[in-house]
Amino acid sequence: MAVIGTIRQKLGGLLILLIAFAMLAFILMDMGPKGNNAGQAGNSIAKVNGEEISYLEFTERLKTNENYMIGQMQGQALTESQKESLKTSTFNEMLGEKLKGEMYKKLGISVSKAEKAAMLFDDKFQHPSIKSSFSGADGVFSQESFKQYLNTLDLPDANFKEGEKRAQWTNFEKAIYKERADKKYNTLVQKSIVVPTWMATALYNNDNTMASIEYVYLPYSDIDDASITLSDQELASYLASHSKEFQQEESASLKYINFQVSPSADDINAVKTWIDGKFDAWQNAESDSLFIMASSETRWDESYYRKDELVNRFSDSIFASSPGAFFGPLNLGTEFAAYKLIDKKAIPDSLKVRHLLLSGDNLQTQEDVDAIFALRDSLMNLVDTLGVPLSSLTAQFSDDQSNAFNGGDLEWVRPGEMVVPFNDLIFYDMKPGDIKTVGTQFGIHIVEVYQWGTTSTAVQLATLNRSIFASEETTNAIFAEASLYANNNKNKEAFLANSSEAKDALNVSKLAATIPGLDGNARELVKWAFKAKQGEVSEPFMIGGNFVVALQDGLYKKGNADLANVKALIEADLRKEKKAELLKAKVSGSDLSQIASSNTKSVQTASGLSMRNSSLPSIGNEPKVAGTALGLELNKVSKAVAGENGVFVLKTTTRTDAAAPTDLSTYTARASIYSGNVQAKLVEALKAAAKVEDNSFDFF
């Protein structure tokens, strides 16, 4: 792949070997440390029909998935929330593999030795990741590079521990073979799910049979909620008769109090005193960069910023001042900060540049390194001393083949498009006509800037800052306050009586890592909740930098929902049922005008109703009304229908049957929707049918 594509940070990897080691990172197994719970390795985190998933297997897969996610985030560290989420998804992934593995055996789905060989070596069937990873800059697959890589799997390599390189490749092979088996099963499912002609015809008729109606609408809102009384016995009876509609997962309910850890006045004054002293010392420092690197939380920044790019309360003053001016210190709420204007200059909004690259590939010895630097010096002598155009040398010497034959021309470049050393050199340290060298991760570049675009003033700014944070003394004092509250309020009555700030966390899942209202990893608190007794009060937990004291307010088993958890939903349903009965009692006779008059309503009309379109103007979706209209004898007044928004009495005035279908392809295509649902529900269904022992709660 072309070097310039990578330099511009747009296209990804450059070197073939780097690509090879990066390919499908999520399946190349990292062999590093296995995490904090590795002492539990060998224990079973789950069993599927007696076949275990060991904790060691889980931690290895988790590390691989973490590495992949970090790679996707361009090296950014994972947050605690992301780590917890990844644990759950990794566990589900491994559980799904075990469940599908059993099914594949029963169905006879496998990948033969011949298929495996073809996926590795046959041009027609070779796995795409192998082709892309071992292709040259011209995009052509190199069988020689691939074989060379395979021949080095068991050789000593400074970049790998013993056996690690072979293990990575073995895991890669396993992954592509698994992918092949999954594809076979998915194809089997997709081919086996079809919409037969009779079903497609029924779908077509449902969508295209239309009805027009006249109706009287008695909205539920005509009856005040307060006038409907609901007893606990009625609620319990409703839940019992609708138990399948109200299912729950295993969960816990909590009440908690958050003791926020905030900096005290003494903490704020301590930071102010520190920055005042440092600010005075800074004004006499010999080197701004060394002083900032030694003192500030913000790194030394070589970049230049235009006024519209500078986020700073002093921006107007900074651009009106000369280099050397100081600003601050200032309390910004979360930190104290002070600034110094280091430099001010005109920089272009874009520029034209060419380069000649001497790649660092295949440097094996010190002699190789010396040789590439000697070549750089010779080329610089030609262009800088003897006046040889840089553009005349790139075809012969540049390793960036994407532009070597057009004089190394990168054309117009904007700030931030190049890697940092290259970017900073051409925008901050060069003018048109300058030729300089710079090193990047791709090698040594000889660079020529030959044209500027529009220029504007930009500044280089140094920042001295320190965060305002709660000191150890302050944190200890807040912990003591939380501990005292926990110890003095050991039951529910006392817990709630002595604080008006308690918040609810209802139906917290057993595998949850967060709790609504708390910013941070609450996994330990969740685990405590499932082990504690109802009414028990916890010791303080540190969550998101604050201390939390919680009350365990109930555990709920998987299955039929507890009334307390669904009471509000049942009340709404039951209240609607009672209102419907009261409104139905107001309907008598078979004349719509008379029914409307006796209820001070009007007769309304609607047209174009179908099973696909059941919306009534200004009312909303009413599928029961549409269904009644399509099945009702013409001009016959219906019985009262309890709909979503009220009670309806209607009469179908016209009905237009669907024309004979000429093309059912749209309806037969719905098979893809059904097959998609099958894929989504597959693991869930297999889990329900299998004997699964889930011990994950004990591990994370």
Side-chain angles (χ1 to χ4, degrees), residues 36 250 314 323 422 461 698:
N36 296 332
E250 187 174 9
F314 295 108
F422 197 104
L461 200 66
D698 297 326

Side-chain angles (χ1 to χ4, degrees), residues 140 156 185 476 618 664:
V140 177
Y185 172 75
N476 288 341
S618 304
L664 292 173

Side-chain angles (χ1 to χ4, degrees), residues 20 166 191 207 262-263 265 363 406 437 498 501 513 554 559-560 578:
R166 167 66 68 180
K191 296 294 185 182
D207 283 358
S262 302
L363 298 180
N406 68 339
T437 66
N498 292 307
E501 299 177 359
N560 294 340
K578 287 199 168 189

Side-chain angles (χ1 to χ4, degrees), residues 525-675:
L525 174 55
V526 172
K527 293 176 73 171
W528 169 85
F530 280 88
K531 295 176 181 177
K533 297 178 181 178
Q534 186 167 353
E536 188 175 338
V537 175
S538 75
E539 294 300 316
F541 286 89
M542 176 163 271
I543 300 174
N546 299 318
F547 294 106
V548 176
V549 177
L551 166 74
Q552 204 267 42
D553 202 29
L555 284 178
Y556 307 100
K557 295 181 179 180
K558 182 177 181 178
N560 294 340
D562 285 64
L563 179 59
N565 279 350
V566 294
K567 187 175 182 180
L569 294 173
I570 290 177
E571 284 179 337
D573 288 351
L574 194 51
R575 190 176 292 115
K576 183 186 287 188
E577 282 191 5
K578 287 199 168 189
K579 286 185 176 183
E581 292 305 315
L582 292 173
L583 291 172
K584 284 180 179 181
K586 294 184 176 184
V587 176
S588 61
S590 59
D591 184 279
L592 288 182
S593 297
Q594 186 177 0
I595 294 171
S597 177
S598 62
N599 288 281
T600 62
K601 303 295 181 183
S602 60
V603 177
Q604 302 182 57
T605 62
S607 60
L609 292 180
S610 68
M611 295 301 292
R612 187 175 186 178
N613 174 33
S614 57
S615 181
L616 296 177
S618 304
I619 297 176
N621 193 38
E622 290 292 348
K624 288 183 180 180
V625 173
T628 301
L630 291 168
L632 196 61
E633 183 181 336
L634 287 179
N635 296 313
K636 181 178 179 180
V637 176
S638 72
K639 294 180 180 179
V641 177
E644 297 297 315
N645 300 284
V647 169
F648 298 82
V649 184
L650 61 137
K651 176 174 68 176
T652 302
T653 55
T654 63
R655 181 167 47 246
T656 305
D657 292 332
T662 57
D663 182 6
L664 292 173
S665 59
T666 301
Y667 298 91
T668 56
R670 292 188 186 181
S672 61
I673 299 174
Y674 303 138
S675 63

